[in-house]
Amino acid sequence: MVVAFPMEGGNRRKLPLAYTDSPLKLLWADIHLVLKSLWSLPGILQPLTPQNSDELDEFYPSKVNVITLLVQLCLSFCQIAFLLSVLACFFFMVPALWIFLYVVAFVWVNRILCHLMFNTPDGILKSKAAIEERPEHKRERWIFINGVGVGHIWLQNSIDRLAYIFGRKIIGVHNPTDGVVFDIIECLIQRNFTFATPDTRDGYAITKETLLNPKYEKVVLILHSQGGIEGSLIIDWLLAELSQDILRKLEVYTFGNAANHFNNPFKSSLGIVQPSIRGSESPERNGPVQDDKSVLHIEHYVNAQDFVCVWGVLHFANVPSRYMGRIFVRPGSGHQLNQHYLDAMFTLGPDKKVHETNAFMEMKPKIVAYEKIRPKRTRVAKDEVLVTSERPSDDLNRLAVENQHNRTPLKVKHLSRLWQYRNGGSPLDDSK
């Protein structure tokens, strides 16, 4: 089933710090949050099977994948040991100069190893999948930013997988890896200090340049994991610099989002949720507005037991006006883009075309209050998907009435705009 609920409204529980608060306070809160979320750590890797996309899946037993996993595992152990040893140096009052030299040497060796094994000087890749683009697709540009622990080989696999799904060429902006542990530390720095890495700036430059190019009528930004943090910064910059008519070209879709916010302000005061005078949990709205947001379409896809989601999107989703866009919470775990998200939500057949049905897209809706989207307290049955929507003019009720009239149950595929792009298709409103 699918669950739909509003994003705004009264909330009596203690809310997370504002993302504009003191960076040191945010960092301390994030460290505490990571430790509280360790119960879901196995959710990054599980399930190990099946691998519906064969060699494109992260855990497919190919030579490259096995070497990648072994090196990342060794790096993780070494980095954890390094961090503990640095703490020990301070405890035993080792001279600061020696600590500094030790840290610089370890980070330098780690960076060189990751450069040789995973990263490439060319930070921009293009999909190589054999697809036939439709003529109208030349007016679109699709951009992808990867997440934690991804080298250039896995990035290539990801953009090829996306190209097969959507029948479009995909540009991949490489978020290079320094090992999983160091990548997670970088995530904390990025989202608490609004720190923009070079790949974040590359993604911003490409996205802005494309939006301003009259050749393109649509820009689709797809983000995974740490890429969600970078994407949230990119959107903040775009909202500050570009006009509303330019931003209407942009659509954003995320998987396993690690960001602590996702902005998308109302274009006017109409439709903004006003708190009830008596402080009740039922919000009052000024009135519906069909195109009420700067970016018209944002969707987030989440696995309920994904560790990254637990301390990312799931922790911040129910804060009023904090995490804009429709959120789909799927039962189960797994954080890898191809194996745990795309294989389940956009299942490919032997011909590299998306099946017209799969278990996720066929699930039915069930409406619940947004407060139930909380890590650990979020209970998702095997046959239901939680779906949020913050737009006052959202079409959930209309779709439910229409489907009931046609005696067709409302399903995830009726709510997912991204699903309509499969196999080179486009949403109906784009054909006008």
Side-chain angles (χ1 to χ4, degrees):
M1 283 185 185
V2 180
V3 180
F5 55 86
M7 292 282 291
E8 296 95 344
N11 195 337
R12 298 178 181 178
R13 74 183 183 91
K14 183 179 180 182
L15 298 177
L17 295 171
Y19 69 91
T20 54
D21 212 319
S22 163
L24 293 178
K25 287 183 179 179
L26 290 170
L27 180 60
W28 177 251
D30 255 3
I31 292 173
H32 184 243
L33 177 59
V34 168
L35 295 177
K36 284 201 310 181
S37 304
L38 289 178
W39 63 270
S40 61
L41 189 60
I44 292 180
L45 304 176
Q46 297 175 346
L48 299 177
T49 57
Q51 294 128 15
N52 297 326
S53 296
D54 297 331
E55 67 276 0
L56 295 180
D57 282 331
E58 292 82 358
F59 298 152
Y60 183 79
S62 65
K63 180 180 178 181
V64 172
N65 282 349
V66 170
I67 292 174
T68 296
L69 291 170
L70 287 176
V71 173
Q72 286 285 12
L73 184 63
C74 291
L75 279 174
S76 296
F77 281 119
C78 291
Q79 290 171 358
I80 292 172
F82 164 73
L83 295 174
L84 293 175
S85 67
V86 171
L87 292 176
C89 287
F90 282 105
F91 180 79
F92 290 107
M93 293 183 290
V94 176
L97 178 60
W98 290 109
I99 297 176
F100 174 77
L101 294 175
Y102 172 56
V103 170
V104 169
F106 184 91
V107 171
W108 182 77
V109 171
N110 185 90
R111 178 62 61 88
I112 294 297
L113 178 61
C114 289
H115 176 75
L116 294 175
M117 292 296 301
F118 303 122
N119 303 324
T120 173
D122 185 6
I124 308 296
L125 301 180
K126 296 182 180 179
S127 59
K128 299 178 181 178
I131 60 170
E132 294 184 7
E133 276 197 309
R134 299 178 183 179
E136 60 267 26
H137 295 166
K138 297 185 183 298
R139 307 286 293 175
E140 303 175 2
R141 175 170 279 182
W142 290 55
I143 303 167
F144 171 72
I145 304 178
N146 64 273
V148 167
V150 174
H152 64 93
I153 295 176
W154 279 12
L155 174 59
Q156 188 67 57
N157 289 344
S158 293
I159 59 179
D160 287 345
R161 180 67 163 78
L162 291 168
Y164 284 128
I165 292 173
F166 302 114
R168 277 101 163 159
K169 294 179 181 178
I170 311 293
I171 295 174
V173 179
H174 190 202
N175 166 28
T177 179
D178 288 314
V180 174
V181 175
F182 279 9
D183 285 352
I184 292 176
I185 294 174
E186 185 179 63
C187 285
L188 298 178
I189 295 173
Q190 280 182 315
R191 77 181 197 173
N192 295 318
F193 291 83
T194 60
F195 175 70
T197 53
D199 44 292
T200 305
R201 299 179 185 278
D202 289 342
Y204 165 71
I206 292 174
T207 305
K208 181 180 178 181
E209 177 187 1
T210 307
L211 286 169
L212 292 173
N213 190 337
K215 171 185 174 182
Y216 297 102
E217 297 175 350
K218 178 181 296 185
V219 182
V220 177
L221 187 60
I222 301 179
L223 311 166
H224 175 236
S225 183
Q226 185 182 6
I229 300 176
E230 299 187 0
S232 71
L233 297 177
I234 291 172
I235 291 174
D236 286 347
W237 294 343
L238 295 176
L239 289 169
E241 294 189 357
L242 299 184
S243 61
Q244 299 288 347
D245 60 320
I246 296 296
L247 287 171
R248 289 174 65 89
K249 295 183 180 181
L250 181 64
E251 298 184 16
V252 185
Y253 302 95
T254 80
F255 297 88
N257 200 330
N260 63 2
H261 74 282
F262 226 85
N263 282 327
N264 190 19
F266 287 92
K267 294 188 293 185
S268 72
S269 60
L270 292 177
I272 296 179
V273 173
Q274 300 293 343
S276 172
I277 296 176
R278 296 184 179 181
S280 68
E281 295 186 0
S282 299
E284 297 177 353
R285 303 183 187 275
N286 287 335
V289 180
Q290 182 60 35
D291 295 334
D292 50 2
K293 290 301 180 69
S294 298
V295 180
L296 295 184
H297 303 289
I298 299 178
E299 292 179 350
H300 309 281
Y301 293 84
V302 176
N303 283 332
Q305 282 80 49
D306 179 352
F307 169 74
V308 176
C309 293
V310 168
W311 60 269
V313 54
L314 288 176
H315 184 71
F316 299 101
N318 62 353
V319 180
S321 301
R322 178 76 167 259
Y323 229 98
M324 293 302 181
R326 180 174 290 167
I327 303 173
F328 296 82
V329 184
R330 171 182 171 269
S333 62
H335 182 66
Q336 307 309 311
L337 177 67
N338 290 357
Q339 185 160 336
H340 296 139
Y341 281 99
L342 301 182
D343 278 2
M345 299 176 180
F346 300 88
T347 310
L348 289 181
D351 59 352
K352 300 299 183 183
K353 298 290 185 180
V354 179
H355 289 312
E356 285 304 307
T357 184
N358 61 60
F360 173 74
M361 290 296 172
E362 292 297 325
M363 292 182 181
K364 299 178 181 180
K366 176 185 176 184
I367 299 176
V368 298
Y370 75 91
E371 291 92 343
K372 293 193 176 181
I373 296 294
R374 297 194 205 176
K376 247 183 177 179
R377 296 186 183 181
T378 301
R379 295 292 179 259
V380 186
K382 291 183 179 180
D383 62 344
E384 67 181 20
V385 174
L386 308 184
V387 180
T388 72
S389 180
E390 87 289 351
R391 293 177 62 176
S393 58
D394 187 72
D395 55 3
L396 286 179
N397 292 330
R398 178 182 60 80
L399 283 172
V401 172
E402 289 180 359
N403 284 35
Q404 185 177 10
H405 178 73
N406 298 328
R407 297 183 179 180
T408 303
L410 187 64
K411 299 179 180 180
V412 173
K413 64 184 180 182
H414 299 132
L415 305 178
S416 170
R417 181 178 175 84
L418 190 58
W419 175 249
Q420 300 178 55
Y421 284 109
R422 70 193 184 283
N423 297 327
S426 295
L428 293 178
D429 59 358
D430 290 339
S431 63
K432 296 179 181 179

